């Protein structure tokens, strides 16, 4: 049965709880040369981890274990210690085998991850009966040399934990940034699933309300694992006969693969859409990364509800019944609006409804028309406190045209303006163009073409800054010799000589206004 993530009362779970800290691989602790620890018993398992180090000389440490500890002991609790009354060092007295069996069994029962035995100051060697007991119960046993204190071992554990925590936070932060960037793409849902699958090294699947797979990305698993993920998704999906709210998430394991399911929108409020994640191993931070993806997918796939949605439905009904746009516009909460036309940049497929909704959310509006011609139209409220040149902003992966602010009576004209602005944006390969009644000359020429023309035209004088500076200043001052001389702090005859030199090198008549306009256009290019 899948394990539903839910709060449990203390002591009701048979599995020992571990501290909410990043685990440390036991192999990383053994690799510390400054500690010189040596594994002398127990399995050699690279997946063995410890959550902290604890020193105890109790004969029965079980009541004080939380699980996941590296238990450190010097053997003070051992009755009739090795060699105390004769006998070779390292050989336990008859009868101590039962003591060590019970001792190790209690550590394993309490969830202890490993045992570290200090060979000083009480014992010269690790008792052989303890070694045998750890081998029987599968508990890793480490020999702590005399020069290594338990405090230094504990300090090393905390250092490794801090490093692991830092690595986990960095991984989660990078994943959050990549998921947010994926959500802003024209194909946000597949992009988010693809990024999530890469981050967890497995597969991410989006299930619909009826259990159908809407989208998926990542590595393929066996049919059994795939079926298990589908069953787990059903656990968090609200059913028609459910007697109570469905859980928001659930986890399970199938054939060693870790499975997780997240109800988008928080259980019963998510409309039955579920995110399923399958990963070959559970890494720190995976749950946080998947939760971030679930929130983004909830926003991308969720329906708009609440008061704003009711107002939009009311406005739509009134329009269908013959009301004028200016009469229903107050229900939408703004007096003036911008019309945005957008196309995905490049030659990708036409945007679907989900991509159109994501674009609308990025622009701050849910009034979106995906259209059938590849153009997404968005009606965006105009904020009078924001300059027209700052809102809306260019959107990654989209080419946009924005109309001038318009009241509801001029929505049709604004729609034409946005279409013209989009056409100009696509022609000039500009991410966003705002409609202007009198577009500048530079808006009509692609930036790359303008820059190439400027470099070609000005090449004869480009290597002499004094000439280009003089020509630029002279043109900006409408050919005035005296004002140019004052602006450049040179004699007016120097200005004349430089302009004559420019005319000769460029082979142009600088008295011709068309030549001056062309040169001025070229000099303004970056």
């Amino acid at each position: 049965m899948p394990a539903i993530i839910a709060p449990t009362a203390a002591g009701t779970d048979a599995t020992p709880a571990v501290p909410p800290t990043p685990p440390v691989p036991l192999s990383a602790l053994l690799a510390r040369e400054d500690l010189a620890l040596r594994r002398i018993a127990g399995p050699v398992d690279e997946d063995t981890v410890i959550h902290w180090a604890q020193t105890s000389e109790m004969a029965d440490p079980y009541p004080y274990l939380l699980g996941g500890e590296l238990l450190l002991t010097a053997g003070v609790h051992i009755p009739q210690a090795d060699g105390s009354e004769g006998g070779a060092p390292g050989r336990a007295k008859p009868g101590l085998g039962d003591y060590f069996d019970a001792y190790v069994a209690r550590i394993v029962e309490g969830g202890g991850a490993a045992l570290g035995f200090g060979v000083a100051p009480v014992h010269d060697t690790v008792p052989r009966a303890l070694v045998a007991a750890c081998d029987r119960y599968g508990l890793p046993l480490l020999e702590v040399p005399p020069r290594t204190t338990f405090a230094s071992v504990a300090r090393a554990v905390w250092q490794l934990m801090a490093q692991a925590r830092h690595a986990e936070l960095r991984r989660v932060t990078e994943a959050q940034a990549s998921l947010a960037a994926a959500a802003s793409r024209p194909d946000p849902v597949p992009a988010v699933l693809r990024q999530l699958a890469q981050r967890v090294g497995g597969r991410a699947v989006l299930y619909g309300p009826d259990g159908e797979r809407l989208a998926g990305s990542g590595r393929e698993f066996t049919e059994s694992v795939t079926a298990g993920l589908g069953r787990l998704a059903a656990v968090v999906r609200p059913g028609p006969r459910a007697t109570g709210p469905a859980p928001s998430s659930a986890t399970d394991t199938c054939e060693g693969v870790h499975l997780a399911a997240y109800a988008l929108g928080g259980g019963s409020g998510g409309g039955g859409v579920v995110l399923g994640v399958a990963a070959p191993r559970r890494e720190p931070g995976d749950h946080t990364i998947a939760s971030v993806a679930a929130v983004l997918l909830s926003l991308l796939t969720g329906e708009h509800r609440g008061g704003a949605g009711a107002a939009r439905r009311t406005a739509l009904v009134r329009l269908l019944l013959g009301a004028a746009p200016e009469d229903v516009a107050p229900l939408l909460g703004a007096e003036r609006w911008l019309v945005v036309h957008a196309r995905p940049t490049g030659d990708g497929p036409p945007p679907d409804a989900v991509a159109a909704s994501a674009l609308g959310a990025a622009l701050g509006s849910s009034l979106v028309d995906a259209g059938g011609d590849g153009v997404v139209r968005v009606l965006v409220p105009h904020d009078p406190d924001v300059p027209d040149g700052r809102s809306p902003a260019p959107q990654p992966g989209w080419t946009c045209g924005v109309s001038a602010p318009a009241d509801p009576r001029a929505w049709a004209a604004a729609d034409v303006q946005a279409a013209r602005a989009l056409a100009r944006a696509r022609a000039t390969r500009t991410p966003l163009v705002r409609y202007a009644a009198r577009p500048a000359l530079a808006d009509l020429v692609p930036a790359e073409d303008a820059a190439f023309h400027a470099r070609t035209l000005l090449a004869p004088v480009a290597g002499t800054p004094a000439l280009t500076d003089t020509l630029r200043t002279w043109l900006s001052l409408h050919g005035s010799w005296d004002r140019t001389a004052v602006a450049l702090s040179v004699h007016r005859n120097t200005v004349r000589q430089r302009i004559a030199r420019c005319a000769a090198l460029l082979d142009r008549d600088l008295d011709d206004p068309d030549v001056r306009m062309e040169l001025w256009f070229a000099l303004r290019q970056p």
Side-chain angles (χ1 to χ4, degrees):
M1 291 295 292
I4 300 173
I5 299 177
T8 56
T12 61
D13 193 347
T15 302
V18 295
T21 54
V24 173
L26 184 59
S27 58
L29 192 65
L30 289 168
R32 291 281 296 256
E33 296 182 357
D34 57 320
L35 299 178
L37 302 178
R38 187 168 64 95
R39 187 201 308 263
I40 59 176
V44 180
D45 187 355
E46 294 297 329
D47 293 333
T48 301
V49 296
I50 56 177
H51 289 266
W52 57 3
Q54 176 180 342
T55 301
S56 174
E57 297 299 341
M58 302 293 294
D60 181 11
Y62 175 86
Y64 307 98
L65 297 179
L66 293 178
E69 294 95 343
L70 167 61
L71 187 65
L72 300 171
T73 179
V76 176
H77 57 88
I78 299 176
Q80 300 179 358
D82 293 2
S84 58
E85 296 181 4
R91 187 179 301 276
K93 290 290 185 179
L96 284 185
D98 294 339
Y99 173 83
F100 283 125
D101 269 3
Y103 176 69
V104 173
R106 292 291 279 173
I107 295 175
V108 172
E109 185 180 356
L115 177 64
F117 193 91
V119 296
V122 180
H123 299 271
D124 295 331
T125 60
V126 180
R128 294 183 180 180
L130 178 59
V131 175
C134 288
D135 278 330
R136 277 193 297 273
Y137 286 93
L139 179 69
L141 176 62
L142 311 184
E143 180 186 75
V144 183
R147 64 179 181 85
T148 301
T149 64
F150 288 172
S152 62
V153 175
R155 182 171 61 247
V157 171
W158 289 113
Q159 289 173 348
L160 292 171
M161 289 175 61
Q163 295 173 7
R165 181 60 174 169
H166 177 73
E168 176 186 342
L169 292 175
R170 182 172 58 187
R171 175 172 177 259
V172 170
T173 301
E174 292 174 352
Q176 288 175 335
S178 64
L179 288 170
S184 66
R185 291 173 52 87
D187 54 344
V189 171
V192 170
L193 293 175
R194 184 166 55 252
Q195 191 61 231
L196 174 59
Q198 292 175 357
R199 292 290 172 174
V200 301
R203 184 164 183 82
V205 181
L206 194 65
Y207 295 94
D210 297 327
E212 72 278 16
R213 279 181 283 184
L214 303 177
S217 182
R219 60 182 291 186
E220 295 286 350
F221 291 98
T222 64
E223 293 184 3
S224 177
V225 172
T226 302
L229 187 60
R231 290 192 298 271
L232 188 65
V235 172
V236 300
R237 183 185 302 111
R241 299 180 180 179
T243 58
S248 60
S249 61
T251 61
D252 197 3
T253 303
C254 181
E255 298 181 358
V257 178
H258 293 267
L259 309 179
Y262 303 84
L264 302 190
S268 58
V273 182
V274 177
L275 169 65
V277 181
R281 56 186 300 169
R282 187 73 169 176
E283 297 288 350
D286 278 359
H287 176 68
T288 302
I289 294 172
S291 297
V292 171
V295 171
L296 291 173
L297 291 171
S298 296
L299 296 174
L300 294 171
T301 61
E303 299 178 358
H304 296 283
R305 295 182 172 89
R312 287 191 294 273
R313 289 192 293 272
T314 300
L316 174 61
V317 171
R318 292 186 183 181
L319 283 173
L320 293 175
L321 294 178
E326 56 268 23
D327 295 332
V328 302
L331 293 171
L332 303 178
E335 296 181 359
R336 292 170 66 79
W337 299 78
L338 299 169
V339 178
V340 179
H341 284 206
R343 278 182 178 271
T345 302
D347 300 325
D352 56 17
V354 174
S357 298
L359 174 64
L363 295 174
S365 175
S366 60
L367 302 175
V368 181
D369 174 21
D373 54 357
V375 177
V376 176
R377 296 167 174 82
V378 186
L379 196 58
V380 180
H382 173 63
D383 187 350
D385 297 328
V386 177
D388 293 344
R390 297 184 182 178
S391 178
Q395 300 300 315
W398 293 91
T399 300
C400 302
V402 183
S403 73
D407 58 35
R409 289 185 176 86
W411 278 351
D415 186 59
V416 175
Q417 294 175 0
R420 292 176 178 173
L422 175 60
R424 191 160 64 248
R426 298 185 68 195
T428 59
R429 297 189 290 275
T430 305
L432 184 145
V433 169
R434 306 176 195 280
Y435 177 83
R438 297 174 60 187
L441 179 63
D443 294 336
L444 304 178
V445 181
E448 295 84 354
D449 295 344
F452 177 79
H453 176 74
R455 289 194 300 269
T456 303
L457 179 62
L458 299 174
V461 298
T464 310
L467 292 181
T468 55
D469 291 343
T470 301
L471 181 60
R472 182 183 292 105
T473 305
W474 183 71
L475 290 173
S476 70
L477 296 175
H478 309 289
S480 172
W481 308 107
D482 293 330
R483 287 192 293 167
T484 302
V486 172
L488 296 176
S489 300
V490 299
H491 195 275
R492 65 194 305 271
N493 288 340
T494 302
V495 176
R496 286 180 176 274
Q497 293 170 0
R498 291 179 180 176
I499 295 300
R501 180 63 175 163
C502 288
L505 292 173
L506 295 171
D507 194 22
R508 293 289 195 277
D509 180 9
L510 298 187
D511 291 331
D512 187 334
D514 289 337
V515 173
R516 290 192 182 190
M517 180 189 68
E518 187 179 12
L519 289 172
W520 179 248
F521 174 81
L523 288 166
R524 292 189 63 188
Q525 298 306 308

